[in-house]
Amino acid sequence: MSKPGFVADEDRDAVTAMLRAQLEGLPARSPFYADLFAAHGVDAGALESLDDLRKLPFTGKQELRESQAAAPPLGRHAGVDLTEVIRVHASTGTTGTPSWVGVTRRDSEAWTEMVARAFRTMGATREDVVLHGAGLTLFVGGLPIRDAIERIGSTMVPIGTGASEKAVLALETLGITALHATPSYVRYLAEYIRERKGRDPREFGIRKIFVGGEPGGGEPAFRAHVEREWGGKVTEGLGNADMAPVLFGEAPGTDGMRFTGGRHVVVELIDPDTGEPVDPEPGATGELVYTSVDRECCPLVRFRTRDRIVVTGLAHDGAPLIRCVGRTDDMLIVLGVNVFPTAVRDLVQTLHPRTSGVVQIIRPDRGGHRVDPPLRVEAEWGAEPGDHDTLRRDIEDLIRTRLTVPAAVTLVPPGTIARSEMKSQLTRVE
């Protein structure tokens, strides 16, 4: 039987008691959940063990959007009034209209605790000087990361996005030891330094590269490329705007991220097609589902993240280690085979420097996941001279061999595909 939440055995009783108290009081303060539980005929307060969570209904992103449309600004699912909220963030809108996420003072303290634990796991110390190259506005990877870095005692340099010139100045003058950003910006900044400044990013002496906010940091070829470019070691974190900025963190030298949310969040692994629980054993794949244990403003129950993960192994204490392989929303189905755009990018990256490693998948404008073969891929050729026809065939052969789907590759010059300082757009609709 699966153990929801990746919860340590010594924490299960305490987490169960806290969650039971949360669920007992939830219908009285959240009309959304009062209606949802009644519609499914469940008594959420009758939870006896964490395994009983599977008896409760899921919460989907579209339901939260509808909740906010019905009762703006925070929605019928919000557990407190706006007057109790000290800060508002927003989801990035990856799957639709962005939604508001309220944070109370207690919620903020819990976030800071969770994110600080994740960054300590990823290798941050008070001796580090961290260049923060992620958004500092509504993005949950901004201000909450700052709070956590300062909690650890590291020196925070809040460059944000759209300020690569200032980032270079900071690298030149402040003794930066660590870089935090999305994988897209980590690569973008290295390209900026090489192409605009004519310099080698390794000369700045970055030792630690903390990435998150999108899949990519765990892709072997992408990671190897970034580590060659900067000369530092990559570790990654994983979170969710609606639940917490970072809930999983990767310890240096391990083969995946471990749950670092403590007693604040229960995590389940489910089959994305059937909704049935999946044991988080090495080799297992599934979708992450989150339930808040003590959240005040957004007390979500069984929230489907659409993050598809694989369990890569176990830590020394038996905790599952995971990698995020993509979002179920981004997944394409070609001849019955599930294809994640991130997997295509990682394969193309293995051919660097014959390719730049930057790709986009062209998909038809008809909705759904199904794509008629061949898979259309646009890829940039790289700095290494060579025969483009041979390169195109090599990419197509690699995709057919590794992903078992036919592909039609179009090669374009370096710099053709748009770069992003936030999240890369790996698909384009035509």
Side-chain angles (χ1 to χ4, degrees):
M1 182 175 292
S2 66
K3 292 185 177 181
F6 296 38
V7 177
D9 288 340
E10 62 269 22
D11 288 337
R12 287 179 69 82
D13 289 344
V15 171
T16 301
M18 294 167 63
L19 182 56
R20 184 184 300 116
Q22 170 93 331
L23 294 174
E24 285 176 347
L26 190 54
R29 59 192 186 97
S30 172
F32 172 87
Y33 279 110
D35 292 347
L36 184 65
F37 294 158
H40 285 80
V42 297
D43 178 6
L47 179 129
E48 295 182 1
S49 74
L50 296 184
D51 294 318
D52 289 339
L53 265 176
R54 68 190 63 179
K55 301 175 182 178
L56 302 182
F58 292 113
T59 302
K61 187 67 177 180
Q62 183 58 34
E63 291 175 294
L64 299 186
R65 294 194 191 98
E66 293 170 357
S67 168
Q68 291 198 342
L74 298 180
R76 300 180 72 246
H77 61 282
V80 298
D81 188 76
L82 187 61
T83 57
E84 301 297 319
V85 170
I86 64 168
R87 191 167 68 229
V88 174
H89 288 278
S91 69
T92 56
T94 302
T95 60
T97 305
S99 54
W100 299 117
V101 180
V103 181
T104 68
R105 192 169 302 281
R106 193 179 81 178
D107 293 340
S108 178
E109 174 59 29
W111 273 17
T112 301
E113 176 190 328
M114 285 188 278
V115 178
R117 185 184 298 115
F119 271 81
R120 287 192 187 98
T121 300
M122 293 159 64
T125 69
R126 65 176 293 107
E127 286 73 35
D128 281 313
V129 181
V130 182
L131 191 155
H132 176 81
L136 287 163
T137 53
L138 293 171
F139 180 44
V140 296
L143 293 175
I145 306 299
R146 179 207 64 185
D147 294 343
I149 293 295
E150 292 177 356
R151 172 71 58 86
I152 292 170
S154 306
T155 302
M156 174 76 166
V157 184
I159 296 295
T161 57
S164 295
E165 192 68 32
K166 291 182 180 178
V168 174
L169 178 62
L171 289 167
E172 291 174 331
T173 60
L174 290 176
I176 303 293
T177 65
L179 172 62
H180 169 250
T182 62
S184 294
Y185 185 62
V186 168
R187 176 159 62 181
Y188 174 91
L189 185 58
E191 289 183 354
Y192 181 92
I193 290 170
R194 286 193 181 279
E195 297 172 6
R196 304 280 186 92
K197 299 298 181 181
R199 301 173 68 175
D200 186 339
R202 290 174 294 185
E203 73 180 71
F204 296 108
I206 295 292
R207 300 194 299 271
K208 305 171 185 179
I209 303 167
F210 309 130
V211 298
E214 64 176 350
E219 298 168 18
F222 184 89
R223 173 175 290 214
H225 172 75
V226 167
E227 292 184 342
R228 283 194 305 268
E229 284 287 271
W230 286 100
K233 292 298 182 181
V234 172
T235 53
E236 66 170 341
L238 174 68
N240 174 273
D242 295 282
M243 184 57 64
V246 192
L247 285 164
F248 288 83
E250 175 188 9
T254 60
D255 187 30
M257 298 173 283
R258 64 177 295 149
F259 177 61
T260 53
R263 297 180 175 183
H264 297 290
V265 178
V266 173
V267 182
E268 298 173 83
L269 186 63
I270 67 165
D271 182 308
D273 297 321
T274 67
E276 291 300 309
V278 174
D279 286 313
E281 300 294 335
T285 65
E287 177 187 343
L288 292 175
V289 172
Y290 297 151
T291 296
S292 59
V293 173
D294 56 357
R295 187 73 177 271
E296 289 185 326
C297 187
C298 295
L300 304 184
V301 176
R302 305 198 79 199
F303 177 70
R304 296 193 61 164
T305 66
R306 302 297 179 182
D307 286 332
R308 183 73 172 262
I309 65 99
V310 58
V311 180
T312 57
L314 301 176
H316 62 87
D317 59 356
L321 300 175
I322 71 167
R323 292 281 186 213
C324 184
V325 298
R327 291 184 55 83
T328 56
D329 309 274
D330 297 334
M331 183 184 72
L332 306 174
I333 302 175
V334 185
L335 296 175
V337 176
N338 295 343
V339 177
F340 288 93
T342 50
V344 175
R345 177 176 64 182
D346 194 46
L347 289 179
V348 174
Q349 184 72 58
T350 64
L351 297 177
H352 179 84
R354 296 172 64 197
T355 73
S356 73
V358 180
V359 303
Q360 271 197 335
I361 295 174
I362 315 303
R363 58 185 300 171
D365 185 14
R366 65 183 183 205
H369 296 286
R370 196 168 303 281
V371 174
D372 294 332
L375 184 69
R376 295 174 58 198
V377 179
E378 197 172 83
E380 293 180 354
W381 66 73
E384 183 178 284
D387 182 273
H388 290 171
D389 285 338
T390 300
L391 176 59
R392 176 179 51 77
R393 288 195 297 270
D394 287 347
I395 296 174
E396 290 175 349
D397 289 345
L398 195 58
I399 293 173
R400 183 179 63 254
T401 301
R402 299 286 184 85
L403 303 181
T404 69
V405 299
V409 173
T410 301
L411 293 177
V412 297
T416 300
I417 299 174
R419 270 55 166 173
S420 171
E421 296 188 24
M422 288 295 288
K423 300 185 180 184
S424 293
Q425 297 298 319
L426 294 181
T427 62
R428 186 174 79 242
V429 175
E430 285 188 356

